[in-house]
């Protein structure tokens, strides 16, 4: 099977199942997801139980989202207290929890200002709007700002963020796309230099470069240090804003609080969502003072930064700090990659690479063989381990950040068992 045919096939196992949707109610849900044959009933820590009572080790964590795992006592306590107090008010008023969360984020990052929204795509939309306003108001003659993004990137599903996403499979049938985006290969500095030179026509030029510090969805590909150091220089020399999408890799997942800390550079603008409130919906767009050009009325969100979501995020952040969770992420990440490398060495015809930072790790399957990430995800699921594909050929490991050494060992054992069943079939 060629890579192209695999890419065209979405990660669908089935769209209906009598067993996992006995009443057929899923027929009323719009048909946008291929689903694995599994319905979850409850969770605790790094474990989930399905509706038939079977337990699974959860190395998906709602796609890098359930930072503190499931049913964490601190999160339960916070959301219970907050919903009793007040859960939502309009941004017509000052929201103390929002201020406190913004202060924490500013004190623990390179940012000076925070805008709150509800998802990764929305945070990136806010970043794109900020870039455009900055270009129109601060950069002379720049009427047609262009944002460079990377091929194989993922930035969301709204019209602007799906345009920013450098993967045709997500854009198919949604044309016309948003103007003002152009793509370059990831980790390729020459391509950036060429694009900046090519897109230079007086009132049309590159205003920002938007990248993931580590490409998640596109195959768990870490950014290269040299590339990002040079990129920062190029941006400084050319008045180009450097924007990082930290939606997946940020919030401690890389073993540092922010992905950019692994690359020795600071962005001008960056976004967070997924793990920020451990599974309660929230997004944030953060930036440095010099480019904080939004004024009242420029941008807004009804739910954005409400007391419920902000209190949850504060608890997640304070728990990460209090319980030294970043240290756990680093140690468990090392342990996991060591285990995965040992497995890859045992099956050199199946696997070509193991890579990642902290607890965002990938295992790449040999492109010369027909085996897909989805086949392995299914086999692991049957054996009691939940994994996520990152494209057709990469297995993604993104467990809760509280995962224990025993659970890492257990996951590796289950994966080996799953691999042996796939080989035998
Ligand atoms: C998941 C993801 C998004 C989109 O987030 P949503 O909350 O689904 O809108 C954007 N960027 C990256 C890097 C992501 O991993």
């Amino acid at each position: 099977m060629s890579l192209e045919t695999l890419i065209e096939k979405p990660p669908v196992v089935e769209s209906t199942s009598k067993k996992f949707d006995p009443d057929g109610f899923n027929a009323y849900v719009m048909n946008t997801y291929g689903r694995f044959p599994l319905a979850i009933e409850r969770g605790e820590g790094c474990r989930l139980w399905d509706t038939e009572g079977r337990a699974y080790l959860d190395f998906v964590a709602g796609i890098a989202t359930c930072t503190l795992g499931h049913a964490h006592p601190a999160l339960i306590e916070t959301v219970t207290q907050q919903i009793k107090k007040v859960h939502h008010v309009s941004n017509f008023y000052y929201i103390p929890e929002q201020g406190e969360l913004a202060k924490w984020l500013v004190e623990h990052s390179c940012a000076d200002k925070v805008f709150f929204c509800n998802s990764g795509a929305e945070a990136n939309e806010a970043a794109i709007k900020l870039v455009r306003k900055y270009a129109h108001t601060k950069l002379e003659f720049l009427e047609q700002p262009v944002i460079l993004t990377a091929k194989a990137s993922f930035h969301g599903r709204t019209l602007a963020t799906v345009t920013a996403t450098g993967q045709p499979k997500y854009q198919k049938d949604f044309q016309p796309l948003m103007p003002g985006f152009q793509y370059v290969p990831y980790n390729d500095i020459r391509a950036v230099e060429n694009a900046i030179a090519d897109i230079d026509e007086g009132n049309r030029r590159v205003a920002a470069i938007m990248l993931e510090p580590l490409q998640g969805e596109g195959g768990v590909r870490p950014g290269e240090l040299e590339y990002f150091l040079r990129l920062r220089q190029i941006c400084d020399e050319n008045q180009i804003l450097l924007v990082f999408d930290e939606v997946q890799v940020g919030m401690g997942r890389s073993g540092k609080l922010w992905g950019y800390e692994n690359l020795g550079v600071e962005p001008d603008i960056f976004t967070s969502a997924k793990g920020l409130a451990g599974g309660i919906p929230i997004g944030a767009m953060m930036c440095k003072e010099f480019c904080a050009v939004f004024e009242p009325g420029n941008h807004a969100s009804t739910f954005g930064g409400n007391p419920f979501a902000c209190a949850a995020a504060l608890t997640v952040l304070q728990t990460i700090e209090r319980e030294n969770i970043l240290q756990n992420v680093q140690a468990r990440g090392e342990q996991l990659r060591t285990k995965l490398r040992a497995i890859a060495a045992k099956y050199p015809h199946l696997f070509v690479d193991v890579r990642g930072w902290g607890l965002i790790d990938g295992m790449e399957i040999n492109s010369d063989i027909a085996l897909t990430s989805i086949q392995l995800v299914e086999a692991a699921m049957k054996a009691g381990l939940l994994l996520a594909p990152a494209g057709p050929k990469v297995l993604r490991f993104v467990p809760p950040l509280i995962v224990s050494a025993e659970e890492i060992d257990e996951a590796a054992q289950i994966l080996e068992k799953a691999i042996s069943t796939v080989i035998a079939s």
Side-chain angles (χ1 to χ4, degrees), residues 63 118-124 153-158 161 165 212 214-217 245-249 271 273-274 282 396:
I63 312 192
N118 316 287
S119 68
E122 271 181 87
N124 289 334
S153 61
F154 186 83
H155 299 295
R157 303 294 203 129
T158 63
T161 59
T165 294
E212 295 158 88
L214 171 154
Q215 290 192 326
E217 215 68 32
D245 179 343
E246 294 256 3
V247 169
Q248 189 161 164
V249 75
T271 56
K274 285 192 168 82
I282 191 169
R396 176 169 30 171

Side-chain angles (χ1 to χ4, degrees), residues 1 36 59 66 82 101 112 123 136 167 236 322 342 353 355-356 383 404 420:
M1 210 185 299
F36 289 106
F59 272 46
C66 300
Q82 191 62 48
L101 177 58
D112 298 309
H136 285 290
Q167 300 194 58
D236 291 341
R322 191 180 57 242
D353 196 19
R355 56 179 178 252
S404 69
S420 60

Side-chain angles (χ1 to χ4, degrees), residues 58-355:
D58 182 14
F59 272 46
V60 177
I63 312 192
T65 294
C66 300
T67 310
L68 303 179
H70 305 282
H72 192 282
L75 198 54
I76 292 173
E77 175 66 17
T78 293
V79 298
T80 306
Q81 292 310 321
Q82 191 62 48
I83 206 158
K84 282 184 190 169
K85 224 165 111 190
V86 61
H87 70 290
H88 179 81
V89 294
S90 167
N91 280 299
F92 281 153
Y93 317 111
Y94 291 93
I95 299 173
E97 294 79 5
Q98 190 181 111
E100 200 183 334
L101 177 58
K103 178 171 182 279
W104 198 100
L105 289 168
V106 165
E107 285 177 354
H108 292 78
S109 77
C110 64
D112 298 309
K113 289 284 191 286
V114 189
F115 171 82
F116 289 108
C117 50
N118 316 287
S119 68
E122 271 181 87
N124 289 334
E125 283 273 347
I128 292 163
K129 281 182 73 176
L130 189 71
V131 163
R132 287 189 172 183
K133 176 151 190 198
Y134 181 81
H136 285 290
T137 58
K138 299 282 177 187
L139 301 176
E140 255 180 285
F141 307 122
L142 193 47
E143 282 151 29
Q144 287 181 270
V146 174
I147 299 177
L148 293 184
T149 67
K151 292 183 177 163
S153 61
F154 186 83
H155 299 295
R157 303 294 203 129
T158 63
L159 198 46
T161 59
V162 88
T163 306
T165 294
Q167 300 194 58
K169 67 170 171 172
Y170 292 114
Q171 301 170 337
K172 192 174 170 289
D173 295 335
F174 297 117
Q175 289 85 357
L177 297 174
M178 197 67 67
F181 288 90
Q182 210 150 305
Y183 313 104
V184 287
Y186 192 58
N187 280 335
D188 180 345
I189 206 68
R190 186 62 61 81
V192 170
E193 288 167 343
N194 290 343
I196 292 169
D198 287 348
I199 309 164
D200 191 355
E201 301 155 11
N203 69 355
R204 181 174 179 271
R205 62 178 187 83
V206 174
I209 303 174
M210 178 167 162
L211 296 168
E212 295 158 88
L214 171 154
Q215 290 192 326
E217 215 68 32
V220 191
R221 278 171 219 289
E224 286 167 13
L225 203 64
E226 281 296 301
Y227 171 75
F228 275 88
L229 289 174
R230 183 73 191 112
L231 202 63
R232 183 66 268 182
Q233 285 177 339
I234 290 173
C235 286
D236 291 341
E237 287 160 10
N238 295 279
Q239 281 198 303
I240 292 171
L241 294 169
L242 186 56
V243 183
F244 285 170
D245 179 343
E246 294 256 3
V247 169
Q248 189 161 164
V249 75
M251 273 310 295
R253 184 147 292 279
S254 74
K256 316 251 189 209
L257 191 57
W258 305 110
Y260 67 77
E261 293 172 50
N262 297 277
L263 294 170
V265 296
E266 289 183 355
D268 303 307
I269 302 172
F270 65 103
T271 56
S272 177
K274 285 192 168 82
L276 182 53
I280 308 296
I282 191 169
M285 185 274 286
M286 294 160 267
C287 74
K288 297 206 170 186
E289 190 67 56
F290 82 92
C291 55
V293 292
F294 279 164
E295 294 165 312
N298 284 165
H299 200 48
S301 165
T302 298
F303 288 128
N306 82 12
F308 188 76
C310 288
L314 269 167
T315 291
V316 170
L317 293 162
Q318 286 158 356
T319 306
I320 285 177
E321 236 182 355
R322 191 180 57 242
E323 296 181 6
N324 249 326
I325 285 177
L326 293 186
Q327 223 167 12
N328 188 59
V329 176
Q330 288 164 19
R332 298 291 77 78
E334 287 283 339
Q335 183 193 350
L336 176 61
R337 286 187 299 280
T338 303
K339 289 269 170 192
L340 295 181
R341 287 200 178 105
I343 294 173
K346 242 191 216 178
Y347 302 96
H349 57 299
L350 295 188
F351 300 106
V352 293
D353 196 19
V354 170
R355 56 179 178 252

